[in-house]
């Protein structure tokens, strides 16, 4: 009986020493997962950085008057001025108001008002 207990004790000591010397597979797996998560974090950081740069470029382009691939907005010209506004401008001009005052009342630029008045004078001269 003593031999059996001594043999089991020796066997358990050998198994214990073997388990300490044995390579841990889970530690290697943990290191791989750590490396993988670090690489993903670096990729995400770089993507966020690129996105912020693109957003800044879009905001800069928007503040500069639009995007390069879109046509510029149409400027307000004589052809886009409604006939009622033209008649109002002409009526105010006939009443003797200044160009600046007509510009304030009609929300048109002074050169547009002068164009409307000049266009009307050409129509009246035939």
């Amino acid at each position: 009986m003593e031999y059996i207990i001594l043999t089991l004790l020796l066997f358990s000591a050998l198994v214990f020493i073997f388990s300490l010397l044995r390579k841990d597979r889970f530690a290697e797996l943990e290191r791989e997962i750590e490396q993988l998560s670090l690489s993903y974090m670096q990729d995400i950081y770089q993507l966020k950085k690129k996105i912020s740069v693109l957003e800044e470029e879009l905001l800069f382009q928007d503040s500069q008057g639009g995007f390069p691939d879109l046509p510029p907005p149409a400027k307000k010209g004589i052809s886009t001025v409604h006939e009622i506004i033209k008649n109002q401008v002409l009526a105010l001009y006939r009443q003797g108001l200044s160009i600046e005052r007509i510009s304030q009342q009609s929300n048109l630029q002074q050169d547009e008002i002068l164009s409307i008045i000049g266009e009307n004078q050409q129509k009246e001269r035939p």
Side-chain angles (χ1 to χ4, degrees):
M1 179 94 156
E2 289 177 14
Y3 292 115
I4 296 176
I5 292 177
L6 189 59
T7 309
L8 287 175
L9 186 62
L10 235 150
F11 181 71
S12 66
L14 286 174
V15 169
F16 182 72
I17 292 171
F18 178 71
S19 71
L20 290 176
L21 297 176
R22 190 172 144 238
K23 189 176 183 181
D24 191 14
R25 286 187 237 164
F26 292 113
E28 185 179 330
L29 190 61
E30 285 177 7
R31 278 190 298 254
E32 288 178 12
I33 290 174
E34 236 178 87
Q35 288 291 346
L36 189 62
S37 67
L38 284 174
S39 70
Y40 281 133
M41 288 175 63
Q42 288 173 345
D43 290 343
I44 289 172
Y45 173 75
Q46 289 175 353
L47 286 174
K48 284 183 179 181
K49 198 172 176 182
K50 288 179 182 180
I51 287 173
S52 67
V53 168
L54 286 173
E55 286 174 345
E56 288 175 8
E57 285 181 10
L58 288 174
L59 289 175
F60 179 73
Q61 288 175 351
D62 190 34
S63 68
Q64 293 296 320
F67 299 103
D69 57 345
L70 295 177
K75 293 187 177 181
K76 195 173 188 182
I78 302 303
S79 61
T80 60
V81 176
H82 197 272
E83 198 65 35
I84 294 173
I85 296 175
K86 288 181 182 180
N87 290 335
Q88 178 190 14
V89 167
L90 293 173
L92 292 173
Y93 180 72
R94 288 183 190 124
Q95 291 175 6
L97 291 173
S98 67
I99 302 296
E100 293 87 16
R101 182 74 178 159
I102 297 171
S103 175
Q104 290 173 352
Q105 287 187 359
S106 63
N107 292 328
L108 294 175
Q109 296 178 0
Q110 292 181 7
D111 60 338
E112 291 175 327
I113 293 171
L114 292 172
S115 297
I116 292 172
I117 293 170
E119 186 178 279
N120 184 51
Q121 288 176 351
Q122 288 177 356
K123 286 181 184 177
E124 291 178 354
R125 287 188 194 167

